[in-house]
Amino acid sequence: MGELKQKLATMSPEKRLYTLETLPTHFGEAGQFQRLYRLLTDYDFIEAKLDALDVHALIQDYEFVENAETLRLIQGALRLSAHVLDKDKTQLAGQLIGRLLSFKIPEIHELLAQASSMKKTWLRPLTPSLIPPGERLIRTLIGHTGKVTAIAVTPDGKQLVSGSNDNSLKIWDLETGKEKFSFIGHSDEITAVAITPDGNQIISSSRDGTVKVWSLKNRKNLLTIDSHQNSVNDITLTPDGKEIISGSSDKSIRIWNLETGEEMLIWKGRPAGSFTLTLPAKIRSELVNAVAVADTPYGLQVIAGSLEKDNNGKTWTIIGLNRANRKKTLSLTGHQDVITAIVPVSSGRQIISASSDKNIKIWSEPNTNFDILSKTKNFTLKGHKDSVNDVAVTSDGKLAISASSDKTIKIWNLLTRKEQLTITGHIDSINTIAVTPDGRQVISGSSDKTIKVWSLKTEKEQSTIDKQGIPNHPNYLFEPKSLSNFLIPVIFFVAFIIVSVNYPLFTEFIFNTITTGIVVFIALKLEFIVVLITLIGFTKNIANIFNLIIDIFELNSKSKATINKNHQRYVSCLSDQTIKLSNVTDQEKTLSCNGHNDSVIAMAFTADGSKVISASSDKTIKVWNIETMEEVLTLQNYRTSITALATTPNSNQVILGADDGTIEVKQNNTERFFKLKSQYWYFSKIIELSISLFSIPFIVWIIFWARHHFLISILGILLMVATLSLYYCNKIKISESLLQSQKINCLVMMQDGAKIIVASKDKTIKVWDIINCQQLFTFKGHTDEVNSLSLTPDGKHIVSGSKDKNIKVWNLEKRKELFTLTGHQDSVNSVAITKDGKRLISASSDKTIKVWNLEKRKEVFTLTSHGDSVNSIVAIPNSNRVISASSDNTLKLWDLSQKEVIANFTGESGINCCAIAPDGLTIVAAGASGRVHFLRLENSRGFDSECRG
């Protein structure tokens, strides 16, 4: 026990609380910064104050000392962990170690050594697998039970308002990260929020068709507007904050008086009401999805993203409407899908729009007076791989920030028209984005139910932007041409005029010669291009055919392997890329754990416990050394994602199950590599091969006719493209549906090492002989995909958990179903059997864990503590304890005899899978973010030789 801890233990509760609350303030105000520094790096003080008060009071103590790197890092780690410590203060040590272990600072090492000396049972991180302080993420806000769909920051930058499909509005203190209160009133998803310029009122819109006005000060609903006949998709306020503008799926844009709720104007595509949009009769609006307002020198302009319909079909259009004369002033087309957000810049002289077509467009209107319909120039920012759901612009107009369903935030420099930075961290679609008024922070809301606060600019980035500057003229997105660009053509033109005047015959001869040459060249060039295009297409098609043949007949099964240089002497990679898992005795520790680039789906220890293997949606497999906790080998460039894996009892083989239904067996003793494939896999590949062969006659025909009949060759290309597009479309649909139904969800190796049991999406369980490469038999009985398998210790029975909410027990010798266990209310994701074979533990998407008596065939009890789907359950060897992994970001250690949680670890994202080494103490877990957590079970007492009851 440290000196401070001893002193605090002798104090009365009142004096102890007073000391913890005021001591840092006294040191700071007295200028005793050395004493304050020692206090704030003492784990005993940090733990005691957190226990007595809360993490936000603790974070505030670090504000007394400036320019202290160590204190800044500790404060940053506490801030990043605040959402975890608010719910579970016992995770302080694990959070600090997971975030600070990589820093080579003596005071931090001493702090973490103090934290590691705890006497209670806990899960100690062995690597810095949590986001460290100093990176872009500042804090995470957790409170919504559904996806976050809308956010807005108050004008003073101190509070945040968020809306969700849980139908609630939440108000947060941005300085502390604490949720202050909630507004409940909408009956459907909240689509947008806006805040008045004085920061006193919040306006929200919803899919329930209403617009509500809330008092931020009095915390009550002031007004409800329900005139819309369908979902209200977006709202905005006029600059003076007196009027609300709403856009709806009922095809209208409406303007309301904020104080009274009176409808002042309504625009519709067709004549309706007393105020109508003056559009040609053939044009009408089908849907208004985004609205904005620009206060221009030519009056207030309402700008909307609308689905317009005319005689030529439907087109997503940005329209401008004059508030004063109610006329349409602008019509911009170019987006190919839903317009999700619109932001006017520079008093409406530029408009930035985001769309589900994955693009952001910058519309420049240098000469518009907003009096007539006009065609503007636009520049497209490309980079997102999925729908762009929202866009925001910093107050200085220098940067645009976009949020996308590809889980990324991108920062764009509006001067250079280039992507400046990509921010990752969310594990699901990012739906909404906001920038603080000072332009220092970006706030994002995601379908992963979290809100994250990010640092927008480092000092270096800010300096670069400031030096470049942003021109004030309205057309600044289009770079001015240099003088040399104009000077050279002018010189040639003047020279041509002089020669033409003095030598007319010579000029005519030169002109005719050049003209004839250009015509001949273009003709030959076009014909050559036709031949070139068809040759390229032919070559690619032949390559595709060869790839399919190679895939079907396994002529080449190589995958690219990357070996960590520090472990080249421990891992050998054969010519066929099989893995040799040799023993490692290196004692050198490293403080890094890179993880995968996408969600980790499966992992397993080798039988000797020296290695763990993980498989990810990024189509890589990684092998990790448990002693050093380093990645020693990466197998990449798999054509499909590996969705399940297992290792043999002798650790010589790795069995991989893929999302296309294939099973790969890698082994090192015979240097063999082969695949087990179902008939559906072959059928889908034959479809692809037949389509590729079908296109060859077209290509040959085009190459032949291109030499003689140019126009016929062009028609041939068009015919081939149309025909193959149709066939390829059908091929993709048929092939994908077949392969998806065969996805491997789980693999279990039988004790003899010669057979594997496979659970797949096709609702079946198959037993394969991997020695003779043949399927032995199939279990059928589940009515939905089978997610998990567990083999009884005697190897005679297999237990399966399914998406149909049931658990089934099968007899492997008699090849039949024995009985079914029912009780879960949602998909059964994982099953595990205790070592004595008497009890079964199941984990489900209904957020529960159930313990079953296999002899009596009934449920014993249910464990409830997780806040989201429980994805994995693993029994700890020789104990009455289990580990569960959940989408609520937590890993929990349960004592089955006490029916309670005895230790927690919280990661950055949902945890999909976990595995326990044979020693029962080393745990590896990973999840949606791709991060791999190495943990050790500390001070675990009460292990029984077998499970009781």
Side-chain angles (χ1 to χ4, degrees):
M1 183 181 291
E3 182 181 349
L4 176 63
K5 198 169 187 177
Q6 289 178 341
K7 289 182 179 180
L8 290 172
T10 61
M11 296 179 184
S12 65
E14 295 79 9
K15 185 177 181 180
R16 187 171 185 268
L17 179 61
Y18 176 79
T19 300
L20 292 169
E21 191 171 9
T22 62
L23 188 58
T25 305
H26 291 328
F27 284 160
E29 292 176 348
Q32 299 183 29
F33 297 116
Q34 289 296 327
R35 297 183 69 182
L36 179 59
Y37 184 90
R38 289 196 298 271
L39 184 70
L40 296 180
T41 55
D42 189 323
Y43 181 79
D44 291 338
F45 170 79
I46 295 172
E47 183 182 40
K49 181 152 189 174
L50 175 65
D51 186 56
L53 296 165
D54 60 30
V55 67
H56 307 288
L58 186 58
I59 291 170
Q60 193 62 34
D61 288 342
Y62 290 83
E63 298 294 336
F64 288 107
V65 182
E66 297 180 358
N67 302 321
E69 178 69 10
T70 300
L71 297 187
R72 185 185 66 78
L73 291 173
I74 297 172
Q75 183 190 40
L78 291 170
R79 186 182 288 115
L80 287 167
S81 306
H83 63 289
V84 177
L85 300 178
D86 271 336
K87 295 182 177 181
D88 184 3
K89 295 177 180 180
T90 65
Q91 291 198 53
L92 174 64
Q95 290 291 309
L96 290 179
I97 294 171
R99 299 187 192 279
L100 296 173
L101 194 57
S102 60
F103 294 97
K104 309 292 185 182
I105 299 174
E107 292 88 347
I108 287 181
H109 278 201
E110 185 177 344
L111 171 72
L112 300 185
Q114 278 185 281
S116 299
S117 63
M118 287 195 305
K119 301 302 181 184
K120 63 181 181 180
T121 300
W122 65 299
L123 298 170
R124 177 170 64 90
L126 301 175
T127 59
S129 58
L130 299 176
I131 295 175
E135 295 191 359
R136 293 199 175 268
L137 183 62
I138 298 173
R139 67 166 80 248
T140 300
L141 308 178
I142 293 179
H144 282 294
T145 57
K147 65 181 180 180
V148 182
T149 54
I151 53 176
V153 182
T154 55
D156 60 9
K158 293 183 178 180
Q159 296 182 95
L160 173 73
V161 181
S162 62
S164 167
N165 71 345
D166 64 10
N167 307 344
S168 72
L169 285 167
K170 291 186 180 293
I171 288 77
W172 310 81
D173 186 323
L174 270 181
E175 293 183 352
T176 65
K178 294 181 69 173
E179 179 186 334
K180 301 179 72 173
F181 57 93
S182 296
F183 286 129
I184 305 295
H186 285 292
S187 60
D188 206 338
E189 176 181 316
I190 293 169
T191 56
V193 291
I195 302 173
T196 55
D198 60 10
N200 292 329
Q201 293 179 333
I202 299 169
I203 299 90
S204 60
S205 63
S206 170
R207 293 195 186 279
D208 64 12
T210 67
V211 176
K212 291 182 180 288
V213 181
W214 313 82
S215 171
L216 196 55
K217 183 178 181 180
N218 299 325
R219 302 186 180 184
K220 65 179 182 180
N221 180 220
L222 301 176
L223 180 68
T224 297
I225 301 169
D226 58 2
S227 297
H228 279 292
Q229 304 303 308
N230 208 328
S231 169
V232 183
N233 300 321
D234 200 8
I235 53 171
T236 190
L237 287 167
T238 54
D240 60 9
K242 295 181 179 180
E243 294 179 344
I244 306 169
I245 301 170
S246 59
S248 169
S249 294
D250 66 7
K251 310 176 184 179
S252 72
I253 302 169
R254 301 171 190 248
I255 299 183
W256 317 84
N257 183 291
L258 176 61
E259 187 175 348
T260 65
E262 177 188 359
E263 185 178 295
M264 304 181 69
L265 286 176
I266 174 173
W267 278 286
K268 286 188 176 181
R270 290 176 176 175
S274 56
F275 301 108
T276 60
L277 177 65
T278 55
L279 289 176
K282 65 178 181 178
I283 300 177
R284 61 187 176 90
S285 176
E286 292 291 303
L287 168 70
V288 180
N289 199 64
V291 292
V293 64
D295 191 5
T296 73
Y298 314 104
L300 202 65
Q301 308 294 321
V302 177
I303 306 167
S306 172
L307 181 60
E308 300 288 307
K309 184 176 181 180
D310 58 20
N311 294 336
N312 297 321
K314 296 181 180 180
T315 306
W316 281 99
T317 307
I318 297 174
I319 58 174
L321 307 167
N322 189 289
R323 169 66 177 84
N325 60 28
R326 308 165 191 169
K327 291 184 178 181
K328 187 174 181 181
T329 57
L330 199 64
S331 180
L332 310 175
T333 59
H335 282 298
Q336 304 302 312
D337 208 335
V338 179
I339 297 172
T340 55
I342 297 173
V343 180
V345 183
S346 303
S347 300
R349 290 175 294 185
Q350 286 189 331
I351 298 170
I352 299 177
S353 59
S355 169
S356 293
D357 64 10
K358 308 177 187 178
N359 296 326
I360 302 162
K361 287 187 180 291
I362 304 173
W363 310 83
S364 179
E365 186 66 17
N367 300 316
T368 185
N369 59 6
F370 283 93
D371 287 336
I372 58 172
L373 293 176
S374 56
K375 184 177 181 181
T376 64
K377 298 178 180 179
N378 72 82
F379 182 82
T380 302
L381 300 176
K382 297 182 178 182
H384 283 294
K385 297 178 181 178
D386 207 335
S387 169
V388 183
N389 300 322
D390 200 6
V391 65
V393 177
T394 54
S395 56
D396 58 10
K398 296 178 180 180
L399 298 174
I401 301 98
S402 57
S404 171
S405 293
D406 66 9
K407 310 175 192 176
T408 67
I409 300 166
K410 289 187 182 290
I411 314 297
W412 309 86
N413 186 310
L414 292 180
L415 173 62
T416 62
R417 299 175 296 188
K418 292 181 179 180
E419 177 186 332
Q420 183 167 301
L421 176 71
T422 296
I423 298 175
T424 60
H426 282 291
I427 60 170
D428 208 336
S429 170
I430 305 175
N431 305 315
T432 179
I433 202 85
V435 185
T436 54
D438 60 8
R440 297 170 66 90
Q441 295 176 352
V442 173
I443 304 164
S444 57
S446 169
S447 293
D448 64 12
K449 306 176 187 178
T450 69
I451 301 165
K452 291 184 182 290
V453 184
W454 313 84
S455 176
L456 180 56
K457 308 166 196 170
T458 64
E459 293 181 3
K460 181 178 179 181
E461 290 166 344
Q462 181 61 56
S463 174
T464 301
I465 295 170
D466 290 340
K467 287 179 181 179
Q468 290 174 338
I470 300 292
N472 291 321
H473 59 81
N475 197 27
Y476 67 78
L477 282 176
F478 299 91
E479 298 176 3
K481 298 184 183 299
S482 64
L483 182 60
S484 61
N485 290 344
F486 298 99
L487 194 57
I488 294 174
V490 169
I491 292 173
F492 274 99
F493 179 75
V494 172
F496 177 76
I497 294 298
I498 294 172
V499 171
S500 299
V501 171
N502 293 281
Y503 307 99
L505 293 178
F506 176 76
T507 302
E508 184 179 356
F509 171 76
I510 294 297
F511 179 79
N512 291 335
T513 303
I514 292 175
T515 303
T516 304
I518 289 174
V519 171
V520 173
F521 174 78
I522 290 175
L524 292 174
K525 191 74 171 178
L526 285 175
E527 188 168 317
F528 172 73
I529 289 173
V530 172
V531 177
L532 182 62
I533 290 172
T534 51
L535 282 173
I536 291 173
F538 182 78
T539 304
K540 288 187 175 180
N541 209 50
I542 292 297
N544 185 45
I545 291 169
F546 274 108
N547 285 332
L548 289 168
I549 293 172
I550 287 169
D551 210 7
I552 292 171
F553 295 102
E554 299 178 22
L555 301 179
N556 181 11
S557 56
K558 291 184 179 180
S559 60
K560 184 178 178 181
T562 304
I563 303 174
N564 187 320
K565 292 181 180 179
N566 296 328
H567 291 270
Q568 285 181 342
R569 59 188 181 276
Y570 309 127
V571 183
S572 59
C573 200
L574 305 177
S575 60
D576 61 359
Q577 299 305 322
T578 59
I579 307 169
K580 284 188 176 180
L581 303 175
S582 54
N583 291 326
V584 179
T585 58
D586 188 358
Q587 299 297 319
E588 183 180 352
K589 298 287 176 110
T590 180
L591 297 179
S592 64
C593 183
N594 296 324
H596 290 273
N597 295 322
D598 205 343
S599 177
V600 178
I601 301 171
M603 61 171 42
F605 271 93
T606 55
D608 59 9
S610 65
K611 307 285 187 306
V612 68
I613 305 167
S614 58
S616 168
S617 296
D618 64 9
K619 300 184 180 179
T620 66
I621 301 167
K622 291 182 183 286
V623 180
W624 308 84
N625 179 276
I626 291 303
E627 276 195 67
T628 63
M629 291 158 289
E630 280 191 312
E631 172 193 330
V632 295
L633 175 70
T634 298
L635 290 174
Q636 55 190 348
N637 288 348
Y638 274 86
R639 299 178 68 181
T640 57
S641 293
I642 302 300
T643 53
L645 63 86
T647 59
T648 55
N650 58 10
S651 300
N652 285 333
Q653 293 177 324
V654 179
I655 298 92
L656 309 170
D659 60 2
D660 65 354
T662 62
I663 303 166
E664 301 182 13
V665 181
K666 295 175 178 284
Q667 57 189 52
N668 68 329
N669 54 350
T670 58
E671 300 189 6
R672 296 174 61 201
F673 176 104
F674 56 90
K675 288 186 178 182
L676 309 176
K677 308 182 183 79
S678 68
Q679 65 272 27
Y680 296 99
W681 186 91
Y682 285 105
F683 184 43
S684 66
K685 292 299 178 183
I686 288 171
I687 292 174
E688 292 186 39
L689 182 61
S690 63
I691 296 301
S692 296
L693 291 171
F694 175 77
S695 63
I696 290 179
F698 278 97
I699 296 174
V700 173
W701 179 74
I702 291 169
I703 292 174
F704 174 78
W705 282 100
R707 304 303 303 170
H708 306 286
H709 301 280
F710 179 73
L711 292 178
I712 293 179
S713 68
I714 294 295
L715 292 175
I717 288 178
L718 296 176
L719 177 62
M720 184 186 75
V721 169
T723 305
L724 292 185
S725 295
L726 177 63
Y727 273 90
Y728 269 108
C729 182
N730 291 332
K731 177 265 293 183
I732 290 170
K733 289 180 181 178
I734 296 171
S735 181
E736 285 187 351
S737 63
L738 286 172
L739 293 182
Q740 286 175 1
S741 68
Q742 297 297 301
K743 173 188 171 186
I744 305 298
N745 288 333
C746 184
L747 293 170
V748 171
M749 173 63 66
M750 294 188 68
Q751 294 168 346
D752 60 6
K755 302 182 190 68
I756 56 172
I757 307 170
V758 181
S760 62
K761 194 175 179 179
D762 67 357
K763 312 173 190 178
T764 67
I765 302 165
K766 296 181 176 66
V767 180
W768 288 83
D769 182 337
I770 62 173
I771 302 299
N772 299 309
C773 303
Q774 63 179 358
Q775 182 180 316
L776 299 179
F777 56 91
T778 301
F779 287 127
K780 293 183 180 180
H782 283 293
T783 58
D784 209 332
E785 60 184 281
V786 185
N787 296 324
S788 180
L789 298 171
S790 184
L791 191 66
T792 55
D794 59 11
K796 295 180 180 180
H797 301 89
I798 188 75
V799 178
S800 60
S802 169
K803 200 172 181 179
D804 64 10
K805 309 175 188 178
N806 297 326
I807 301 166
K808 290 183 181 291
V809 180
W810 314 81
N811 187 304
L812 290 171
E813 293 178 348
K814 297 180 180 180
R815 302 185 180 184
K816 68 176 185 178
E817 177 186 339
L818 294 181
F819 58 90
T820 300
L821 300 173
T822 61
H824 281 295
Q825 303 303 308
D826 207 335
S827 171
V828 180
N829 300 323
S830 182
V831 289
I833 301 173
T834 54
K835 190 176 181 180
D836 61 2
K838 295 180 180 180
R839 290 203 285 187
L840 167 72
I841 303 98
S842 60
S844 169
S845 293
D846 65 10
K847 308 177 188 178
T848 68
I849 298 166
K850 290 183 180 292
V851 179
W852 311 79
N853 186 310
L854 286 177
E855 293 179 339
K856 297 180 180 181
R857 303 183 180 184
K858 69 177 184 178
E859 178 185 336
V860 181
F861 57 86
T862 300
L863 303 172
T864 57
S865 179
H866 282 294
D868 208 332
S869 170
V870 188
N871 303 320
S872 181
I873 194 84
V874 181
I876 297 179
N878 302 320
S879 79
N880 59 348
R881 298 179 181 183
V882 296
I883 290 279
S884 61
S886 169
S887 294
D888 66 7
N889 301 2
T890 66
L891 199 69
K892 292 182 182 291
L893 173 65
W894 302 81
D895 187 319
L896 296 183
S897 61
Q898 301 297 321
K899 303 178 185 178
E900 65 180 8
V901 178
I902 56 176
N904 287 285
F905 173 78
T906 300
E908 304 289 0
S909 64
I911 300 177
N912 296 331
C913 51
C914 62
I916 300 177
D919 63 9
L921 299 175
T922 305
I923 302 162
V924 184
S929 68
R931 292 175 177 269
V932 179
H933 306 286
F934 291 82
L935 307 163
R936 185 165 182 85
L937 180 56
E938 297 286 4
N939 306 316
S940 184
R941 298 177 297 275
F943 270 35
D944 300 327
S945 60
E946 62 180 13
C947 297
R948 294 191 294 265

